[in-house]
Amino acid sequence: MTPDQSVVRSQQLEAGEITLDQITEWQGSPETGPISKNPTHMTAPEKTEVIAEVSTDPALTELRTNNRFFMVQLYYERARKGDADAQYQLGLLYLTGNGAIQDFEEAARWFELAAEKNHALAQYELGMIYKVGYGVAADLEKSYMWLNLAAAAGIDEAALMRNKIMLSLNSEQLTQAQRASRERLGNMSVADR
């Protein structure tokens, strides 16, 4: 396939005139030539419900031109309304600085909101943040508590890190951290009912 044909196919794919399956069917045909089975350079953007809402809002047109604001906006409204997964995703954006400016304090804030709703991955990330002290004061007891909750939810990495932190706590700190885990889990269970 010539570069010109590739551009045309990409434009047709983005416009919805052809599908990725059609392109892969043409692989090796005389008209199109061989084409990679790995279509990463030709994936059509997924249009989710949230993206559809954002793309029709004229007030957010400027946000689309700046990816940082666009990525944050995708999750912000849902996160603000209490969606734990959106809060977790927003926390990841701020933690990694991929799609937003890196801001550990904001990451910790959004992870905590999601973690309090029993979001296991947010509990894990919050435990790690308390371990290293990015955006919050380092606190091994809080780190242990959040990692203990994430481990109880099945996050293997959380169990490994919790066990490492346990070695840094004295018996009084460990008892307090385990008590806090039980209380937090009990409060979450009551809230889920």
Side-chain angles (χ1 to χ4, degrees):
M1 178 179 300
T2 68
D4 289 338
Q5 288 173 317
S6 180
V7 169
V8 169
R9 294 284 186 238
S10 294
Q11 289 171 344
Q12 288 174 323
L13 182 64
E14 287 177 14
E17 296 169 3
I18 60 173
T19 67
L20 198 52
D21 291 336
Q22 287 173 311
I23 292 173
T24 56
E25 285 175 15
W26 296 331
Q27 180 179 1
S29 72
E31 302 106 40
T32 61
I35 174 174
S36 171
K37 284 224 182 247
N38 182 3
T40 55
H41 64 284
M42 299 175 67
T43 56
E46 292 182 24
K47 216 161 201 217
T48 65
E49 185 176 316
V50 174
I51 293 173
E53 288 174 18
V54 171
S55 66
T56 60
D57 186 347
L60 298 176
T61 301
E62 190 173 321
L63 291 176
R64 284 190 299 248
T65 63
N66 189 332
N67 191 41
R68 289 183 313 224
F69 295 121
F70 181 68
M71 292 301 296
V72 169
Q73 190 64 34
L74 281 176
Y75 297 110
Y76 180 77
E77 286 304 314
R78 288 181 27 228
R80 195 173 58 82
K81 292 176 182 173
D83 182 310
D85 193 53
Q87 291 167 339
Y88 167 72
Q89 294 295 334
L90 199 51
L92 280 180
L93 288 176
Y94 285 116
L95 179 68
T96 63
N98 187 9
I101 59 169
Q102 192 171 42
D103 185 335
F104 297 129
E105 194 172 321
E106 274 297 294
R109 182 172 82 89
W110 289 109
F111 284 142
E112 186 152 11
L113 289 170
E116 288 174 354
K117 291 180 179 74
N118 209 18
H119 193 288
L121 292 172
Q123 291 169 339
Y124 170 75
E125 294 295 346
L126 190 58
M128 295 302 292
I129 284 175
Y130 274 112
K131 178 188 178 290
V132 295
Y134 289 162
V136 297
D139 186 331
L140 292 181
E141 286 182 48
K142 284 185 180 179
S143 177
Y144 179 94
M145 178 196 69
W146 287 115
L147 291 168
N148 198 22
L149 292 168
I155 307 297
D156 293 336
E157 295 85 7
L160 294 172
M161 190 53 65
R162 175 202 60 200
N163 294 341
K164 286 182 182 179
I165 289 172
M166 180 175 64
L167 300 174
S168 302
L169 299 174
N170 65 38
S171 62
E172 185 180 318
Q173 291 172 317
L174 182 58
T175 300
Q176 180 60 31
Q178 289 176 345
R179 182 179 298 123
S181 298
R182 281 192 308 274
E183 289 171 4
R184 177 89 47 182
L185 186 59
N187 291 339
M188 289 177 189
S189 297
V190 169
D192 289 340
R193 293 181 196 161

